[in-house]
Amino acid sequence: MMKKKHTILLLLLLLSSVVGTTAQNIRESIELYTDKNCYIVGERLHISVVVTPEENASFSKIAYVELTDTAGTVAQTMLWIAKGKGWAEMNIPADLHSGNYLLVAYTRAMENGSAEDFAQKIVSIVNPQHIGRTDNILFLPPEENMNAPVEKEYKVGQEIMVSLPKDSVQHIRVVSLVRNNLPTADYTSFHPSLQSGTNGGICEKEGHIAEAHSAKNILQATESRLVMVGKGTYVYDGKKQEDGSWHYYTGRIHDSQPTLLNGYDSEGQPAPLELHSPYADLHPTSLPDLQVWCTKEELQARAKGARQEETLSHWLKTDTLAHQMEFLSSTPEYAYDLDEYRKFSTVKEVLVEFVKGVKKKKVHGVNRLFTRFENENGYSDWPALVLLDGMPVHDMDDILEYDARLLKYIEIYNQVFTFGSSVCQGVISFVSHQGRLSNYKLDEGSKLVMYDFPQDHPQCFMPKSSELSTVFWNPCAEGTHVKFSAPSALGCYQILLQGIDRKGHYFLSSSQIRITE
């Protein structure tokens, strides 16, 4: 009987070893598409990726995209993958030189392989205000046979229907409509070699993994948290790794967020941490010179649209703080809009003068705040969790002496909540007008930074009347056809269809239409 048990145990160990090895060897492929091939600084670069794991299994949820040249990275972004697809927008910096750049897309799982597994695409960028001798660019006059014949004419506002071939030969991934296109040389045959610092990554199956390291020559942190600063509360406990780093599994937080990083040693002393870049820091060893066929008038027309798009991008940047989500999905027992009350200098005065449901009491000589609870004492037995703009406050004297004139709301919850690994009886949430820890001094173990979380399928917004180059962009073409309205600006446009054939080769087809009155 004992021998049988040993045999079963051995088989289980062997099976777990095989499963573990298989998990390490799981591979996935990634496709990368953009709305066009040539851009002007100030325009938005629309990116779409398709991630396909082996055996159709669920795999990476986050993709990374880097825009780089031989000198280094110029722009980066992350995007959320749902059902194998994701898209994002990247603003092209206004100070870039004219030339070819390499756009690279990958997942952390791919870092366990080689850079050859990453999706790569050469993107041409022109800076009309900065074209010098150091720019690797050659302007050529348009050739007569470069202008494709107009296949169809549409009136302003008329519905345009694009048929999508669905067969075993070609699969359309994205559809775009562009105007004032700047033709460039064909760079599909050029495959630059990549240099990077990749050393293997953890597959992000549930969401983004933020990573932090201890600052140099300081105490080693034994406890850490990542907090989204805002009206809501998102607290992520750090998971200590074997190499001493900390991982935070941040779930569905997206876009740029004010983020607070806390670190403390075993004695509760501040132990500062620094967020680590999740990118592979790629750059090509060489790139081809840029060749553009256009006239001065065509370049000026594109530059005019780029200036308008730069203004539009600024307008589209709304406040995407996590605190816009409903706090805890709960209703506070007491809620105060401080703009409706007499102004006081400190929070302590506010609590004394008109706030109900909160009691201050010293515990072991330290001030604590308690919320009203249904028990014989009328108040909770354990101190409440106190928040300022979503950040947990540990020193009650700091919040009691905080300038109440900077606050907008006070909300008091009398339920039991779990935040990270902590359980509390009641929450007292103080919210400033700006929602950014206004005039609050952080301790040495805390650092507030703006962190760019993955973009979660942003809405593709294009104004109907504009000089923009890309006037329609569908990053997830599905079904048998795509429909959109003809733009209001008259002239010739190109409909671009991009996808992959059955051999896994990228293809681009275009047709020219004209918009008339």
Side-chain angles (χ1 to χ4, degrees):
M1 184 69 177
M2 184 65 68
K3 183 176 181 181
K4 183 178 180 181
K5 287 184 177 180
H6 286 169
T7 303
I8 294 174
L9 179 60
L10 179 60
L11 288 173
L12 289 174
L13 289 173
L14 289 173
L15 179 61
S16 64
S17 175
V18 171
V19 171
T21 304
T22 303
Q24 293 291 334
N25 293 331
I26 289 179
R27 301 292 297 277
E28 57 189 352
S29 61
I30 187 169
E31 303 167 34
L32 172 64
Y33 303 95
T34 58
D35 53 323
K36 50 183 177 281
N37 294 330
C38 188
Y39 297 83
I40 303 293
V41 294
E43 292 180 340
R44 289 174 294 166
L45 198 161
H46 300 273
I47 303 163
S48 176
V49 302
V50 179
V51 177
T52 306
E54 289 185 352
E55 300 179 357
N56 296 320
S58 175
F59 212 49
S60 294
K61 296 293 186 182
I62 307 296
Y64 296 82
V65 180
E66 298 186 47
L67 182 66
T68 180
D69 64 3
T70 55
T73 303
V74 298
Q76 298 168 320
T77 192
M78 292 180 277
L79 51 93
W80 184 272
I81 304 298
K83 297 181 180 179
K85 299 178 181 179
W87 55 87
E89 295 180 353
M90 179 184 290
N91 290 330
I92 299 176
D95 59 350
L96 292 189
H97 66 82
S98 299
N100 279 323
Y101 292 76
L102 189 65
L103 192 67
V104 184
Y106 57 92
T107 65
R108 279 191 174 177
M110 294 177 182
E111 292 185 26
N112 296 317
S114 66
E116 295 178 356
D117 300 320
F118 300 170
Q120 304 177 28
K121 180 178 181 179
I122 291 181
V123 174
S124 302
I125 297 177
V126 178
N127 189 338
Q129 306 301 322
H130 179 69
I131 299 178
R133 296 179 179 178
T134 58
D135 294 329
N136 298 324
I137 182 171
L138 176 63
F139 287 100
L140 300 173
E143 300 177 2
E144 293 183 1
N145 58 358
M146 291 189 67
N147 295 323
V150 175
E151 297 187 7
K152 196 170 183 180
E153 291 188 352
Y154 296 89
K155 294 185 180 298
V156 172
Q158 184 179 351
E159 182 182 85
I160 299 176
M161 180 179 294
V162 180
S163 299
L164 304 180
K166 290 291 183 181
D167 50 39
S168 60
V169 178
Q170 292 183 341
H171 295 281
I172 304 298
R173 301 297 200 194
V174 300
V175 179
S176 55
L177 179 67
V178 301
R179 69 192 302 264
N180 294 326
N181 198 24
L182 301 181
T184 63
D186 184 7
Y187 305 110
T188 55
S189 60
F190 186 88
H191 300 285
S193 59
L194 285 173
Q195 291 184 350
S196 69
T198 56
N199 53 8
I202 298 177
C203 304
E204 294 171 304
K205 297 182 181 180
E206 301 300 328
H208 176 52
I209 303 174
E211 183 177 343
H213 295 261
S214 295
K216 295 180 180 179
N217 302 323
I218 55 125
L219 297 173
Q220 293 295 312
T222 58
E223 178 186 355
S224 73
R225 280 182 173 179
L226 198 69
V227 179
M228 302 297 104
V229 175
K231 296 177 183 178
T233 300
Y234 298 83
V235 181
Y236 300 94
D237 285 336
K239 306 296 182 183
K240 191 71 173 288
Q241 306 299 305
E242 293 182 358
D243 61 358
S245 64
W246 293 86
H247 284 179
Y248 313 88
Y249 297 81
T250 57
R252 291 298 299 266
I253 300 298
H254 58 87
D255 297 331
S256 183
Q257 304 286 352
T259 304
L260 186 71
L261 183 64
N262 293 322
Y264 301 94
D265 67 9
S266 57
E267 297 181 356
Q269 297 299 314
L273 295 168
E274 296 178 351
L275 284 172
H276 177 71
S277 171
Y279 296 95
D281 296 325
L282 304 163
H283 65 272
T285 56
S286 63
L287 285 169
D289 292 344
L290 172 59
Q291 298 181 29
V292 179
W293 282 267
C294 73
T295 63
K296 183 178 180 180
E297 291 73 22
E298 289 173 326
L299 184 59
Q300 289 177 343
R302 276 291 295 273
K304 180 181 178 181
R307 290 192 294 270
Q308 182 183 13
E309 188 159 359
E310 193 171 17
T311 303
L312 175 66
S313 298
H314 178 75
W315 177 76
L316 288 175
K317 287 183 178 179
T318 57
D319 188 1
T320 56
L321 287 176
H323 73 231
Q324 287 186 330
M325 300 175 66
E326 184 179 357
F327 175 73
L328 301 175
S329 298
S330 302
T331 302
E333 183 181 17
Y334 300 101
Y336 298 90
D337 184 344
L338 299 190
D339 290 342
E340 299 177 357
Y341 294 83
R342 176 186 170 187
K343 299 295 184 181
F344 291 93
S345 301
T346 65
V347 169
K348 179 168 58 177
E349 293 175 285
V350 170
L351 296 180
V352 170
E353 292 295 334
F354 58 83
V355 171
K356 299 179 180 180
V358 175
K359 181 176 70 174
K360 177 175 72 70
K361 185 175 70 172
K362 284 198 173 184
V363 179
H364 303 298
V366 177
N367 281 322
R368 298 295 184 192
L369 296 180
F370 297 79
T371 61
R372 190 185 300 278
F373 237 74
E374 293 183 3
N375 56 24
E376 59 183 13
N377 298 322
Y379 282 86
S380 59
D381 298 322
W382 295 92
L385 175 65
V386 177
L387 307 171
L388 175 60
D389 290 338
M391 179 196 73
V393 177
H394 300 286
D395 191 336
M396 292 304 103
D397 291 331
D398 284 348
I399 194 66
L400 290 173
E401 297 301 326
Y402 186 73
D403 189 348
R405 292 165 294 188
L406 299 175
L407 295 177
K408 173 64 175 174
Y409 298 109
I410 298 179
E411 298 174 330
I412 302 164
Y413 302 79
N414 64 349
Q415 304 172 43
V416 177
F417 295 99
T418 300
F419 294 91
S421 60
S422 303
V423 178
C424 63
Q425 291 186 353
V427 172
I428 306 171
S429 175
F430 298 92
V431 180
S432 69
H433 285 87
Q434 295 182 354
R436 299 289 199 282
L437 301 176
S438 305
N439 202 33
Y440 187 85
K441 185 178 180 180
L442 300 172
D443 61 38
E444 295 179 358
S446 302
K447 181 179 293 186
L448 183 64
V449 299
M450 290 299 297
Y451 188 84
D452 290 327
F453 290 89
Q455 296 185 48
D456 190 4
H457 302 81
Q459 181 180 3
C460 301
F461 175 78
M462 307 290 180
K464 294 182 179 179
S465 178
S466 71
E467 298 296 330
L468 271 60
S469 173
T470 298
V471 296
F472 176 78
W473 160 245
N474 186 329
C476 182
E478 296 178 336
T480 59
H481 59 270
V482 171
K483 295 188 296 184
F484 52 91
S485 298
S488 60
L490 308 182
C492 290
Y493 292 77
Q494 280 188 312
I495 298 176
L496 304 180
L497 303 181
Q498 301 176 67
I500 192 169
D501 62 22
R502 62 182 177 183
K503 295 183 178 180
H505 298 152
Y506 164 85
F507 71 86
L508 167 66
S509 63
S510 65
S511 59
Q512 184 152 293
I513 64 173
R514 179 181 289 117
I515 307 300
T516 61
E517 292 182 328

